Amino acid sequence: MIVAIDGPAASGKGTLARRIAGHYRLPHLDTGLLYRGVGQIMRDRGFPLDNVEIAAAIAENLDLADLDAEKLRTREAGEAASVVAAHGPVRRALLDLQRAFAAQAGGAVLDGRDIGTVIAPGAEAKLFVTASPQERARRRFRELVGRGECADTDEALAAVLADIARRDERDSGRADAPLTVAADAVTLDTTDLGIEQAVAAALAAVEARRR
Ligand code: CDP
Ligand code: CDP
């Protein structure tokens, strides 16, 4: 069984993907990490993010085993990811790796922006996880404050909301694999759901599709 989970930044898709993968004992790939990895390497090496050729070459040679999920969770990496993710050649360079992960025997859970539409259009279960921009900003803000990456002030929260809005616009507006709801996806709005409620709703949606 392939479970495809898409949605905008800080909607809770990663949390749900991990929990669903744990429930069914399936391997899980957070595909955002790939784009974060490319963006961060570009930054670390001082390449401008709009250099498509270099970004595509980095994507081509990316090794999942080298990606440090903890280090790539920063705001800076997320922002760089959404810039390089708009380059078609970068997306194409990361396609085979993601499709191979999805196709492994026994199945897999993948989360990102284009799993149900491009990476695994034949997935048995597709979820589109969303929440209001204000709620997503609040969630991301709490994480950032918890990690000491941002001050616990109203101004800082407003800045996180602006980051989220910019990323939504970039991810939804790009020509190549924009963030859209797959025709056969179940939309799960988690604005008013706690994590356990969201997990229960997600598992129910996956179960309904398996029958
Ligand atoms: O966790 P969050 O939603 O903030 O970010 P992420 O899932 O790690 O993704 C970071 C960026 O990578 C997104 O803003 C997208 O631009 C890009 N991305 C993508 O284009 N396609 C995917 N399948 C996954 C991520
Ligand atoms: O992967 P994505 O960026 O979509 O989101 P995430 O990393 O799963 O969740 C972002 C933050 O929101 C995490 O700190 C989650 O614990 C929290 N969260 C929440 O408060 N309520 C939910 N229903 C889902 C996630």
Side-chain angles (χ1 to χ4, degrees), residues 7-16 18 30 36 111 113 129 135 138-140 142-143 190 193-196 198:
S11 55
K13 61 190 178 303
T15 302
L16 292 179
R18 274 190 299 279
D30 167 5
R36 285 172 182 265
D111 75 281
R113 299 290 185 292
V129 184
E135 175 60 18
R138 213 171 51 76
R139 292 176 185 172
R140 187 53 42 93
R142 288 216 186 115
E143 287 180 333
T190 71
L193 300 183
I195 291 178
E196 294 310 321

Short mmCIF file of all heavy atoms in Angstrom, two decimals, residues 7-16 18 30 36 111 113 129 135 138-140 142-143 190 193-196 198, ligand 2:
data_model
loop_
_atom_site.label_atom_id
_atom_site.label_comp_id
_atom_site.label_asym_id
_atom_site.label_seq_id
_atom_site.Cartn_x
_atom_site.Cartn_y
_atom_site.Cartn_z
N GLY A 7 0.32 18.61 1.39
CA GLY A 7 -0.27 19.74 2.09
C GLY A 7 0.72 20.87 2.23
O GLY A 7 1.92 20.69 2.00
N PRO A 8 0.22 22.04 2.61
CA PRO A 8 1.09 23.21 2.76
C PRO A 8 1.97 23.14 4.01
O PRO A 8 1.81 22.23 4.83
CB PRO A 8 0.10 24.37 2.83
CG PRO A 8 -1.14 23.78 3.38
CD PRO A 8 -1.19 22.36 2.88
N ALA A 9 2.86 24.11 4.14
CA ALA A 9 3.82 24.16 5.25
C ALA A 9 3.12 24.15 6.60
O ALA A 9 2.13 24.86 6.82
CB ALA A 9 4.67 25.43 5.13
N ALA A 10 3.64 23.31 7.50
CA ALA A 10 3.18 23.23 8.90
C ALA A 10 1.70 22.86 9.04
O ALA A 10 1.06 23.20 10.02
CB ALA A 10 3.48 24.53 9.65
N SER A 11 1.19 22.11 8.07
CA SER A 11 -0.20 21.64 8.16
C SER A 11 -0.30 20.43 9.07
O SER A 11 -1.40 20.04 9.48
CB SER A 11 -0.73 21.29 6.77
OG SER A 11 0.12 20.37 6.14
N GLY A 12 0.84 19.81 9.35
CA GLY A 12 0.84 18.60 10.19
C GLY A 12 1.01 17.33 9.38
O GLY A 12 0.88 16.23 9.90
N LYS A 13 1.36 17.46 8.09
CA LYS A 13 1.46 16.27 7.23
C LYS A 13 2.58 15.34 7.65
O LYS A 13 2.45 14.13 7.57
CB LYS A 13 1.59 16.66 5.75
CG LYS A 13 2.82 17.49 5.46
CD LYS A 13 2.78 18.06 4.05
CE LYS A 13 4.03 18.91 3.85
NZ LYS A 13 4.18 20.01 4.83
N GLY A 14 3.70 15.92 8.13
CA GLY A 14 4.84 15.09 8.55
C GLY A 14 4.49 14.26 9.77
O GLY A 14 4.80 13.07 9.84
N THR A 15 3.82 14.89 10.72
CA THR A 15 3.40 14.19 11.94
C THR A 15 2.46 13.05 11.56
O THR A 15 2.62 11.92 12.03
CB THR A 15 2.67 15.19 12.87
OG1 THR A 15 3.57 16.26 13.16
CG2 THR A 15 2.23 14.52 14.16
N LEU A 16 1.49 13.32 10.69
CA LEU A 16 0.54 12.28 10.28
C LEU A 16 1.24 11.18 9.50
O LEU A 16 0.95 10.00 9.69
CB LEU A 16 -0.59 12.89 9.45
CG LEU A 16 -1.52 13.81 10.24
CD1 LEU A 16 -2.60 14.38 9.32
CD2 LEU A 16 -2.18 13.06 11.39
N ARG A 18 4.34 10.17 9.75
CA ARG A 18 5.10 9.31 10.68
C ARG A 18 4.18 8.37 11.45
O ARG A 18 4.48 7.20 11.63
CB ARG A 18 5.88 10.19 11.67
CG ARG A 18 7.24 10.65 11.15
CD ARG A 18 8.07 11.30 12.26
NE ARG A 18 7.43 12.49 12.81
CZ ARG A 18 7.46 13.69 12.25
NH1 ARG A 18 8.11 13.88 11.10
NH2 ARG A 18 6.84 14.72 12.81
N ASP A 30 10.06 11.71 4.07
CA ASP A 30 9.69 13.13 4.11
C ASP A 30 10.39 13.77 2.92
O ASP A 30 11.59 14.05 2.97
CB ASP A 30 10.19 13.71 5.44
CG ASP A 30 10.17 15.23 5.49
OD1 ASP A 30 9.69 15.86 4.53
OD2 ASP A 30 10.66 15.79 6.50
N ARG A 36 15.01 20.60 0.95
CA ARG A 36 15.76 21.33 1.99
C ARG A 36 17.25 21.05 1.85
O ARG A 36 18.08 21.95 2.01
CB ARG A 36 15.27 20.92 3.38
CG ARG A 36 13.92 21.50 3.75
CD ARG A 36 13.38 20.94 5.05
NE ARG A 36 12.07 21.49 5.33
CZ ARG A 36 11.86 22.55 6.13
NH1 ARG A 36 12.86 23.12 6.77
NH2 ARG A 36 10.65 23.03 6.30
N ASP A 111 5.42 11.97 2.21
CA ASP A 111 4.72 13.24 2.37
C ASP A 111 5.48 14.36 1.68
O ASP A 111 6.71 14.31 1.55
CB ASP A 111 4.43 13.57 3.84
CG ASP A 111 5.62 14.03 4.64
OD1 ASP A 111 6.43 13.19 5.06
OD2 ASP A 111 5.75 15.26 4.84
N ARG A 113 4.50 17.74 -1.43
CA ARG A 113 3.58 18.65 -2.10
C ARG A 113 2.96 18.01 -3.34
O ARG A 113 1.88 18.41 -3.77
CB ARG A 113 4.33 19.93 -2.57
CG ARG A 113 4.96 20.76 -1.46
CD ARG A 113 3.91 21.43 -0.62
NE ARG A 113 4.48 22.35 0.38
CZ ARG A 113 5.19 21.99 1.43
NH1 ARG A 113 5.46 20.72 1.66
NH2 ARG A 113 5.64 22.89 2.30
N VAL A 129 -3.60 17.30 3.57
CA VAL A 129 -3.71 17.82 4.93
C VAL A 129 -3.59 19.33 4.89
O VAL A 129 -2.65 19.87 4.29
CB VAL A 129 -2.59 17.24 5.82
CG1 VAL A 129 -2.75 17.70 7.26
CG2 VAL A 129 -2.59 15.71 5.75
N GLU A 135 -3.29 29.18 11.92
CA GLU A 135 -3.01 28.02 12.76
C GLU A 135 -1.65 27.40 12.38
O GLU A 135 -0.86 27.01 13.24
CB GLU A 135 -4.14 26.99 12.63
CG GLU A 135 -3.91 25.68 13.36
CD GLU A 135 -3.71 25.81 14.87
OE1 GLU A 135 -4.08 26.85 15.45
OE2 GLU A 135 -3.16 24.86 15.46
N ARG A 138 1.04 29.52 13.81
CA ARG A 138 1.12 29.33 15.25
C ARG A 138 1.92 28.06 15.57
O ARG A 138 2.77 28.03 16.45
CB ARG A 138 -0.30 29.23 15.82
CG ARG A 138 -0.49 29.80 17.20
CD ARG A 138 -1.97 29.85 17.57
NE ARG A 138 -2.68 28.59 17.36
CZ ARG A 138 -2.59 27.54 18.16
NH1 ARG A 138 -1.86 27.59 19.25
NH2 ARG A 138 -3.25 26.44 17.90
N ARG A 139 1.65 26.99 14.83
CA ARG A 139 2.36 25.72 15.06
C ARG A 139 3.84 25.86 14.76
O ARG A 139 4.67 25.41 15.54
CB ARG A 139 1.75 24.62 14.17
CG ARG A 139 0.34 24.24 14.59
CD ARG A 139 -0.23 23.22 13.62
NE ARG A 139 -1.63 22.92 13.94
CZ ARG A 139 -2.43 22.19 13.17
NH1 ARG A 139 -1.97 21.67 12.05
NH2 ARG A 139 -3.67 21.98 13.53
N ARG A 140 4.15 26.47 13.63
CA ARG A 140 5.56 26.62 13.25
C ARG A 140 6.27 27.54 14.24
O ARG A 140 7.41 27.28 14.66
CB ARG A 140 5.62 27.16 11.81
CG ARG A 140 6.95 27.25 11.11
CD ARG A 140 7.82 26.02 11.06
NE ARG A 140 7.28 24.71 10.78
CZ ARG A 140 7.19 24.12 9.60
NH1 ARG A 140 7.60 24.73 8.53
NH2 ARG A 140 6.72 22.90 9.48
N ARG A 142 5.59 28.03 17.41
CA ARG A 142 5.87 27.31 18.66
C ARG A 142 7.12 26.44 18.53
O ARG A 142 7.90 26.35 19.46
CB ARG A 142 4.68 26.42 19.03
CG ARG A 142 3.51 27.21 19.51
CD ARG A 142 2.80 26.43 20.61
NE ARG A 142 1.59 27.09 21.01
CZ ARG A 142 0.36 26.57 20.84
NH1 ARG A 142 0.22 25.37 20.30
NH2 ARG A 142 -0.69 27.24 21.22
N GLU A 143 7.26 25.79 17.38
CA GLU A 143 8.44 24.95 17.17
C GLU A 143 9.70 25.82 17.19
O GLU A 143 10.70 25.46 17.81
CB GLU A 143 8.40 24.29 15.79
CG GLU A 143 7.42 23.16 15.64
CD GLU A 143 7.46 22.58 14.21
OE1 GLU A 143 7.82 23.30 13.26
OE2 GLU A 143 7.12 21.42 14.08
N THR A 190 -7.10 20.26 9.56
CA THR A 190 -6.73 20.01 10.96
C THR A 190 -6.74 21.28 11.81
O THR A 190 -6.24 21.26 12.93
CB THR A 190 -5.33 19.35 11.06
OG1 THR A 190 -4.33 20.32 10.71
CG2 THR A 190 -5.21 18.15 10.16
N LEU A 193 -8.22 20.53 15.01
CA LEU A 193 -7.95 19.18 15.52
C LEU A 193 -6.63 19.13 16.27
O LEU A 193 -5.63 19.68 15.82
CB LEU A 193 -7.90 18.16 14.38
CG LEU A 193 -9.14 17.99 13.50
CD1 LEU A 193 -8.90 16.88 12.48
CD2 LEU A 193 -10.37 17.67 14.33
N GLY A 194 -6.62 18.44 17.41
CA GLY A 194 -5.37 18.15 18.09
C GLY A 194 -4.69 17.03 17.34
O GLY A 194 -5.28 16.44 16.42
N ILE A 195 -3.45 16.73 17.70
CA ILE A 195 -2.70 15.71 16.96
C ILE A 195 -3.41 14.35 16.99
O ILE A 195 -3.56 13.71 15.95
CB ILE A 195 -1.26 15.61 17.49
CG1 ILE A 195 -0.50 16.89 17.13
CG2 ILE A 195 -0.54 14.39 16.89
CD1 ILE A 195 0.91 16.97 17.63
N GLU A 196 -3.86 13.92 18.16
CA GLU A 196 -4.50 12.60 18.24
C GLU A 196 -5.79 12.54 17.42
O GLU A 196 -6.08 11.53 16.78
CB GLU A 196 -4.77 12.21 19.70
CG GLU A 196 -3.49 12.01 20.52
CD GLU A 196 -2.46 11.09 19.86
OE1 GLU A 196 -2.86 10.07 19.24
OE2 GLU A 196 -1.26 11.39 19.95
N ALA A 198 -6.39 14.32 14.75
CA ALA A 198 -5.97 14.33 13.34
C ALA A 198 -5.48 12.94 12.93
O ALA A 198 -5.80 12.46 11.83
CB ALA A 198 -4.88 15.38 13.12
O1 CDP B 2 5.13 18.40 8.06
P1 CDP B 2 4.43 19.71 8.25
O2 CDP B 2 5.33 20.88 8.05
O3 CDP B 2 3.18 19.82 7.46
O4 CDP B 2 3.95 19.78 9.77
P2 CDP B 2 4.45 19.00 11.07
O5 CDP B 2 5.89 19.14 11.22
O6 CDP B 2 3.86 17.63 11.09
O7 CDP B 2 3.67 19.82 12.21
C1 CDP B 2 4.04 21.14 12.52
C2 CDP B 2 3.85 21.36 14.02
O8 CDP B 2 2.45 21.39 14.32
C3 CDP B 2 4.44 20.26 14.88
O9 CDP B 2 5.05 20.87 16.00
C4 CDP B 2 3.25 19.45 15.31
O10 CDP B 2 3.43 18.85 16.58
C5 CDP B 2 2.15 20.50 15.37
N1 CDP B 2 0.80 19.95 15.11
C6 CDP B 2 -0.27 20.35 15.88
O11 CDP B 2 -0.08 21.12 16.80
N2 CDP B 2 -1.54 19.87 15.64
C7 CDP B 2 -1.78 19.03 14.63
N3 CDP B 2 -3.02 18.58 14.39
C8 CDP B 2 -0.70 18.64 13.81
C9 CDP B 2 0.57 19.13 14.07
#
